[in-house]
Amino acid sequence: MQADEMEVPIINNINSNCNKQRPLPNGRDVFKNLLKDWESSMESPNLEFEYGDTDSLTAELSEIYSYTEEPEFALNRDYFEEDFRSHVRGRRWIELGQEQQRAYVMRLLDALEVTDRDKRLKVARAILYLAQGVFDECDTDTDVLHWSRHNVFLLYDMGVFTALLELLSMEMDNNQACSSAVRKPAISLADSTELRVLLSIMYLMVETIRLQTEDDRPEWRTAREAFKTELGSPLYNGEPFSLLLFTMVTKFCSMNAPHFPMKKVLLLLWKTILFTMGGFEELQEMKVRGRERLSLPPLPEDSIKVIRSMRAASPPASAMELIEQQQQAKRGRRSRRSAFVDSLEGDSPFPKKQPLVKQDSLDTYNERDPFKNDDARDEEEDGEEADSGIEGEVDPLDRDVIIQPPPPPPPLRPPTESASLPKGLPWAPKVREKDIEHFLETSRNKFIGFTLGNDTETLVGLPRPIHESVKTLKQHKYVSIAEMQIKREEELQQCPMTLGEEDVDETPTEILYLGMLPNLSQYVIALLKLLLAAAPTSKAKTDSINILADVLPEEMPITVLQSMKLGIDVNRHKEIIVKAISALLLLLLKHLKLNHIYQFEIVSQHLVFANCIPLILKFFNQNIMSYISAKNSICVLDFPHCVVHEMPELTAESLLETVISSAGVISSPASTC
């Protein structure tokens, strides 16, 4: 069944309906036509991928804002200065002392409790300007990040996050706004203003506090641990903060709140789980501690370091390119074989019509690349070509004559270079106990005629090579934490009264799983719906969800430049949603597998039932190289560059040149310039 023909109704009719609600002008078509010639002639770019949890702080902060929100930066500054000048005269924020800054933040907190929505929004924008680093008083991007970090820790210390959480809960329960958005034929940025401001402040706080630096103050380190514990604990109405964001996702996908800004919600959800549970480095440390607690031998290697040392894999090519590569490789093998035959025919004293065998020189030639490993099909094809092309003309009387191998040719590359290349797998092989039992069972049936059950020690009656094989397998025997967890569950089922209940640690992963379990299928389905709606190969359908509610402006573009800018912004918006959901699912699966293997299997089962595998294949149903090399970002519009430096004049030609010049190299998991 193809990905476009999935029969499960929950994922069947899903995609962005921006074309139905607000068809874009022909400017996007003009932009696509301008890029078409360049993409057709573009060579394969260099893939420089950094394996890590996130991109740089600047890139991660810029992704929370759409290019359509650019005018709101000045709006935040104006509301802050209007209020700040009325209370503090003749001084700037960066010139105030610590106590004066705390007093002003406390005044803003008091103003957040007013009943007037417009006044609350102005105060929230002033707080957002503080979290953004009071950029109007800074000269460089570094200054903006410095003051943003200073202000964020100050805001957390004053209890701003808790106040914002209460306002977020009020906006979620605002039935009037939800019903108004449902009745609207087209939803734009104006329908989610309050939510976008609140989520932006919370995202800046989570992402800034999550990142640890060497020059952090001692009180900042203490605040980071307290914030991490607070986010992972069921302190918000008896559930963790991540569960509140999951509820927003399901409410949006059920069409009850189509005005929710999903990109901001997903980014905040991903960073919250990353902060509370830990990233790849923390996960590796948890694995080491878990194996020590279960008295298991240490890990043979650090998988994170192994993966980072490996080169980035080239993306799969299209079907036509694969066929051409196979034909070129086959022609290359034939040319090498024919050249070698010609050399033998010139120097050999034997007749020309002579059977050939594979020579050591060919092995040396092929081994110049340690990663080269032709499969059985290639060997069979080579054998068939040799049988039909050369051996078919040999006299039967001459078949016993064996050609002496020629002297080996000089090395194809210096010995020092070949010695530095890795050999074999980059990681240590692992063998399970069941693999050894299966191997011994097969060997005993073959050589003795009976088996000994699960006995892996008795080797009587087996030949010497089997002994050596078993010894090698046992040297690489690996017992995982999952096997110990499964064994423990079996023991608890067999002796429930004797062993009693199992003591479970209240880890952030366990708390989140317990909160997700009653509605786990709904959460998984909602995430896959959003992932499908952001897929580049998805087709617009009449009843699909609109993921562009927080990127489309109130007034649609009327010029080619505006259409090109909006087209890039829409593609960038979808890429960020795909990045957030995929990183979120991967992180959840990794932590659940370590916490308990059965939790991992339940979530994986829900993913499979919701057609996650066809959805992933849907992303590969395209030209992967073009998809990866596409650069849907405009450097001069990224935060904080756009608020510090003078904005250059953008034209359709300069915008196209900016996109093309920045699309040559994939520098990181996220789209950065």
Side-chain angles (χ1 to χ4, degrees), residues 368-440:
R368 73 187 188 278
D369 186 358
F371 296 103
K372 183 177 180 62
N373 184 18
D374 292 335
D375 56 9
R377 279 187 308 181
D378 292 337
E379 294 176 359
E380 291 176 1
E381 291 174 3
D382 294 344
E384 292 174 1
E385 293 167 1
D387 293 340
S388 61
I390 300 178
E391 290 190 13
E393 302 176 4
V394 175
D395 190 344
L397 298 176
D398 296 331
R399 286 189 179 274
D400 295 334
V401 181
I402 301 177
I403 299 176
Q404 297 296 328
L412 299 173
R413 59 179 66 181
T416 56
E417 183 180 355
S418 61
S420 63
L421 292 173
K423 294 184 178 181
L425 295 174
W427 52 80
K430 299 175 182 178
V431 180
R432 299 178 303 171
E433 182 73 18
K434 292 183 178 180
D435 297 330
I436 302 177
E437 295 175 0
H438 179 70
F439 176 74
L440 283 175

Side-chain angles (χ1 to χ4, degrees), residues 98-306:
Q98 184 76 11
E99 293 301 324
Q100 292 175 313
Q101 292 178 349
R102 294 174 64 92
Y104 180 73
V105 172
M106 183 61 68
R107 188 178 295 110
L108 291 178
L109 275 176
D110 294 338
L112 275 181
E113 299 179 358
V114 298
T115 57
D116 191 344
R117 287 176 57 89
D118 294 335
K119 292 183 179 180
R120 284 206 312 265
L121 180 59
K122 291 182 178 181
V123 175
R125 286 194 179 277
I127 295 177
L128 177 57
Y129 178 72
L130 288 176
Q132 290 172 343
V134 287
F135 49 80
D136 196 49
E137 303 177 13
C138 302
D139 298 327
T140 62
D141 297 356
T142 306
D143 294 340
V144 174
L145 296 179
H146 167 76
W147 281 105
S148 174
R149 189 171 188 82
H150 170 83
N151 295 339
V152 160
F153 276 99
L154 176 63
L155 293 175
Y156 172 73
D157 189 37
M158 299 300 296
V160 173
F161 190 86
T162 304
L164 295 175
L165 185 61
E166 295 178 358
L167 293 178
L168 181 63
S169 300
M170 289 173 53
E171 293 296 333
M172 287 179 57
D173 298 334
N174 189 350
N175 296 326
Q176 181 180 358
C178 293
S179 59
S180 175
V182 169
R183 291 193 302 267
K184 273 193 173 184
I187 303 175
S188 63
L189 281 171
D191 299 302
S192 59
T193 303
E194 293 83 0
L195 285 170
R196 286 188 293 106
V197 172
L198 296 176
L199 292 171
S200 296
I201 302 174
M202 301 173 85
Y203 177 84
L204 290 175
M205 295 183 68
V206 171
E207 178 63 13
T208 303
I209 297 177
R210 182 190 67 84
L211 189 64
Q212 185 174 357
T213 59
E214 297 179 356
D215 57 347
D216 280 349
R217 306 171 189 171
E219 58 268 22
W220 287 4
R221 300 177 186 269
T222 305
R224 176 181 297 106
E225 294 301 323
F227 192 33
K228 180 179 179 180
T229 305
E230 180 182 346
L231 290 177
S233 302
L235 301 179
Y236 307 106
N237 297 327
E239 59 185 22
F241 176 61
S242 302
L243 210 59
L244 178 67
L245 299 176
F246 270 116
T247 305
M248 293 186 68
V249 174
T250 55
K251 195 172 182 180
F252 173 83
C253 292
S254 62
M255 306 298 290
N256 293 326
H259 65 295
F260 281 1
M262 269 301 102
K263 186 188 75 171
K264 297 181 186 295
V265 174
L266 292 171
L267 284 175
L268 180 57
L269 176 59
W270 167 36
K271 295 304 176 62
T272 302
I273 292 180
L274 179 62
F275 185 26
T276 55
M277 295 186 182
F280 292 153
E281 298 287 350
E282 292 85 352
L283 189 67
Q284 187 71 16
E285 296 175 358
M286 293 166 61
K287 284 182 182 179
V288 173
R289 293 195 299 266
R291 295 186 67 84
E292 291 178 354
R293 186 168 59 252
L294 296 174
S295 302
L296 294 175
L299 293 169
E301 74 276 316
D302 188 345
S303 59
I304 303 299
K305 294 180 179 179
V306 171

Side-chain angles (χ1 to χ4, degrees), residues 277 283 286 481-482 485-486 489 502-517 520-521 524 585 587-608:
M277 295 186 182
L283 189 67
M286 293 166 61
I481 298 178
Q485 293 171 346
I486 294 175
E489 291 294 330
E502 183 180 7
D503 295 331
V504 180
D505 297 333
E506 292 293 326
T507 61
T509 307
E510 185 71 24
I511 294 174
L512 180 60
Y513 177 78
L514 291 177
M516 293 176 61
L517 187 58
L520 183 59
S521 61
V524 171
L585 289 176
L587 195 65
L588 270 178
L589 290 175
K590 282 180 172 290
H591 277 281
L592 290 175
K593 185 176 182 181
L594 180 61
N595 192 59
H596 201 288
I597 186 62
Y598 287 162
Q599 296 177 355
F600 165 78
E601 290 184 357
I602 290 175
V603 176
S604 301
Q605 188 180 47
H606 282 291
L607 287 171
V608 173

Side-chain angles (χ1 to χ4, degrees), residues 8-34:
V8 177
I10 54 176
I11 302 293
N12 192 22
N13 296 322
I14 312 153
N15 195 12
S16 171
N17 61 352
C18 63
N19 293 329
K20 177 194 70 172
Q21 294 183 353
R22 290 185 167 222
L24 297 179
N26 295 329
R28 290 185 62 186
D29 298 333
V30 174
F31 176 63
K32 292 180 180 179
N33 293 332
L34 290 173

